[in-house]
Amino acid sequence: MKPVDVGQILELEIVDLTSNGEGIGKVNGFPIFIEKALPDERVRVEITKLKKNFALGKMLEVIDPSPERVKPYAEDLYRYGACNLLHLSYQGQLKFKTNLVKENLKRIGKIDVDVNPCLGMAHPYNYRNKSAFPFGMRDGRIVGGLFAPGTHEIIDLNESVIDNPTTIEIMKYIKRTILAYHIVPYDEISHSGILRHVVIRHGEKTKEYMVTLVVRTKDIPQLTAFVENLIKAFPMVVSVILNVNPDRTNRILGDEEIVLYGNSYIHDYIGDVQFAISSKSFYQVNPTQTKVLYDTVARFANLKGNEVIIDAYCGIGTIGLYLAKQAKAIYGVEIVREAVEDAKYNARLNGFNNAHFIVGKAEEVIRDWKNDGIQADLIIVDPPRKGCDQRLLDTIVEMKIPRVIYVSCNPSTLARDLNLLKDYYQIHEVQPVDLFPHTSHVECVTLMSKVEK
Ligand code: SAH
């Protein structure tokens, strides 16, 4: 017997937040998850879904608000869930993130360590350097912006809390003008039309903008005229890319790309290291906080100049190159070929000849390095959300690398991986960094050193 039913309306005390930022209330120990509810609040909810071990509730009213509750900065965006923590004060968000790391380490990692307070932004708005806007038609009008969470309904976005203001202006210009060039938005259901997504990226320091038009077909007679007028209206756009994605798929980018205007990349700086970024390469989306993140890595690395460093999951080489001046050699490994090409180009761009980059899986390439007798003083791992492959962790242990810096974007896989390393490596410092204000995502840097046995 479950203690609640769908449709039931009840009052609840919120006791905690889930890792997705939903409030948790309990009826006889049975958890109910409620979006936009905060700890220490009393709320009225309607039960909307019942599962085996939990229920979902919709908030009807906040009866007693938390002192941490703030009025969302942009009601519309908030309603659509793009920023699921906007109702929580920024200090409250940082506390939530610190706690999230600590709790994951304890619960999943069986590790009880101090976690430094999460490093936040002075002005946590309009921080993104990359935005992807889906385009579509509704009632004879173009809409573009974001998918409503969990659906393919397009929300028409005309202002944003987290996107760059110029980026929003470019997106709105495209929405206003594109039909005049007979460029019709894509329709998912009939798999017809042309424009699927507009992806806009910029260099925070250089103010160079790249516009990628993701299209179903490259048969677009008036495209040249459109691009000419786009760059006239926005001279900061130094690169326009046509990305062709002819498939029925949720993936944004297709394989084929054509440069319509300017270069195939834009530039940016982190500190005084310069990076060229092409349309498909991973580059952290919050440049202000990327510097904070990499400075934390640099502080943990505490380099003397004679270290050999492995940069695993290196993307376009950013972390390794950020440290290259203070190190003897950097060996980067990354699975995406284009990113490795960017990394090599970026090493040359900065005049570093001590940085080497290889395409492949970190768990395979580093094992080969071990078999070739390569020795490293420090390995930095920065895996995607699913964390490190266990073979990589085994190799790190076997290579007896003295120090490990783990950069993680997912506290639960971080905790799982640290648990696997815990008999071999001791943790010195854990530092969360807020790269994604107003969302429940958190980035975290951990410094470890080999246990002497
Ligand atoms: N360190 C970089 C990129 C981190 S994102 C930065 O700070 O910008 C994680 C990267 O890991 C992505 O570029 C992704 O392509 C890459 N990746 C995913 N699985 C991998 C694997 N098994 N081996 C190597 N790289 C992988």
Side-chain angles (χ1 to χ4, degrees):
M1 271 300 285
K2 296 185 182 122
V4 292
D5 245 332
V6 171
Q8 188 180 344
I9 291 175
L10 66 165
E11 283 186 21
L12 283 175
E13 215 66 65
I14 302 301
V15 293
D16 206 350
L17 287 174
T18 67
S19 56
N20 298 323
E22 297 135 337
I24 308 175
K26 288 189 176 167
V27 177
N28 301 339
F30 188 78
I32 298 162
F33 302 138
I34 307 125
E35 271 182 26
K36 293 167 210 165
L38 294 176
D40 302 325
E41 290 189 327
R42 191 164 179 79
V43 298
R44 193 186 328 280
V45 300
E46 179 180 341
I47 304 297
T48 52
K49 232 183 210 152
L50 196 53
K51 300 273 185 171
K52 193 158 161 240
N53 298 318
F54 64 92
L56 300 184
K58 181 175 157 223
M59 173 121 82
L60 302 176
E61 187 195 348
V62 182
I63 300 166
D64 279 327
S66 152
E68 298 285 359
R69 177 171 286 279
V70 292
K71 192 174 149 17
Y73 177 90
E75 291 282 354
D76 258 4
L77 239 196
Y78 172 68
R79 179 153 16 103
Y80 294 120
C83 298
N84 59 340
L85 292 183
L86 265 181
H87 57 294
L88 177 56
S89 73
Y90 190 54
Q91 286 313 312
Q93 294 180 21
L94 295 176
K95 243 190 269 165
F96 160 73
K97 293 182 186 194
T98 308
N99 199 39
L100 194 62
V101 173
K102 187 157 176 70
E103 284 303 311
N104 272 281
L105 289 179
K106 209 192 271 175
R107 191 168 44 83
I108 301 171
K110 315 280 177 245
I111 296 166
D112 200 357
V113 283
D114 285 339
V115 172
N116 296 346
C118 186
L119 298 171
M121 295 183 83
H123 181 75
Y125 300 103
N126 305 104
Y127 54 82
R128 289 188 68 96
N129 62 13
K130 179 185 173 186
S131 309
F133 306 110
F135 270 56
M137 285 295 265
R138 197 160 54 236
D139 306 326
R141 230 168 43 83
I142 293 201
V143 288
L146 69 158
F147 288 122
T151 77
H152 278 201
E153 186 200 333
I154 295 169
I155 306 299
D156 197 35
L157 185 77
N158 290 304
E159 58 175 326
S160 171
V161 190
I162 56 176
D163 299 293
N164 174 264
T166 304
T167 290
I168 292 287
E169 288 313 310
I170 296 171
M171 185 266 286
K172 281 160 64 179
Y173 170 89
I174 296 175
K175 253 195 300 208
R176 275 199 311 275
T177 60
I178 195 115
L179 275 188
Y181 303 90
H182 300 183
I183 303 175
V184 182
Y186 175 66
D187 179 70
E188 208 170 42
I189 293 165
S190 60
H191 192 54
S192 62
I194 298 169
L195 185 63
R196 302 172 71 123
H197 270 88
V198 172
V199 183
I200 303 172
R201 195 164 218 196
H202 76 282
E204 187 64 20
K205 291 268 169 61
T206 59
K207 308 292 176 218
E208 293 180 359
Y209 283 72
M210 167 186 280
V211 176
T212 302
L213 304 167
V214 186
V215 294
R216 181 186 60 84
T217 163
K218 54 186 167 179
D219 181 19
I220 313 170
Q222 297 194 49
L223 187 60
T224 311
F226 167 72
V227 172
E228 270 170 19
N229 286 325
L230 172 71
I231 57 178
K232 242 183 250 159
F234 294 96
M236 63 290 266
V237 174
V238 300
S239 167
V240 182
I241 310 279
L242 191 72
N243 177 286
V244 189
N245 185 354
D247 300 333
R248 280 181 185 273
T249 170
N250 285 340
R251 219 159 38 96
I252 296 180
L253 296 180
D255 294 330
E256 185 186 355
E257 289 204 336
I258 299 159
V259 179
L260 296 176
Y261 171 77
N263 292 325
S264 59
Y265 46 81
I266 53 170
H267 297 95
D268 197 19
Y269 286 87
I270 303 172
D272 55 10
V273 185
Q274 193 182 10
F275 297 102
I277 307 146
S278 60
S279 78
K280 285 184 184 170
S281 294
F282 178 89
Y283 185 66
Q284 290 283 6
V285 298
N286 183 335
T288 310
Q289 292 299 89
T290 299
K291 176 149 190 321
V292 175
L293 182 75
Y294 292 178
D295 282 340
T296 303
V297 174
R299 178 168 72 79
F300 284 2
N302 190 22
L303 300 176
K304 308 284 181 253
N306 55 353
E307 292 88 348
V308 174
I309 303 175
I310 296 177
D311 180 5
Y313 308 90
C314 70
I316 61 170
T318 39
I319 296 181
L321 294 174
Y322 197 69
L323 302 177
K325 223 190 260 176
Q326 287 83 277
K328 182 168 160 200
I330 306 284
Y331 292 91
V333 50
E334 157 65 44
I335 205 167
V336 174
R337 179 170 300 277
E338 288 91 345
V340 171
E341 279 159 22
D342 285 3
K344 288 181 176 165
Y345 180 82
N346 286 328
R348 285 200 298 278
L349 195 64
N350 291 283
F352 297 142
N353 47 23
N354 60 342
H356 317 278
F357 296 98
I358 289 187
V359 186
K361 291 186 177 166
E363 57 272 23
E364 292 171 3
V365 171
I366 296 172
R367 172 142 291 183
D368 293 344
W369 288 347
K370 175 190 152 243
N371 294 336
D372 293 345
I374 289 185
Q375 291 191 340
D377 301 290
L378 167 67
I379 182 165
I380 299 161
V381 299
D382 183 9
R385 289 188 64 75
K386 69 172 189 233
C388 291
D389 189 292
Q390 186 169 348
R391 284 176 290 165
L392 173 61
L393 301 175
D394 293 343
T395 304
I396 291 173
V397 171
E398 288 161 21
M399 283 173 90
K400 302 190 167 68
I401 302 177
R403 294 188 298 149
V404 178
I405 296 176
Y406 193 134
V407 181
S408 159
C409 57
N410 184 348
S412 67
T413 55
L414 170 70
R416 180 201 66 200
D417 291 350
L418 294 194
N419 178 270
L420 293 172
L421 287 177
K422 108 179 159 173
D423 291 341
Y424 309 96
Y425 283 88
Q426 75 186 84
I427 296 176
H428 292 278
E429 198 170 338
V430 183
Q431 179 63 66
V433 181
D434 190 21
L435 264 77
F436 309 97
H438 314 301
T439 77
S440 46
H441 292 287
V442 58
E443 201 83 12
C444 184
V445 193
T446 303
L447 172 65
M448 287 167 274
S449 71
K450 205 170 94 47
V451 177
E452 294 305 333
K453 285 201 175 160

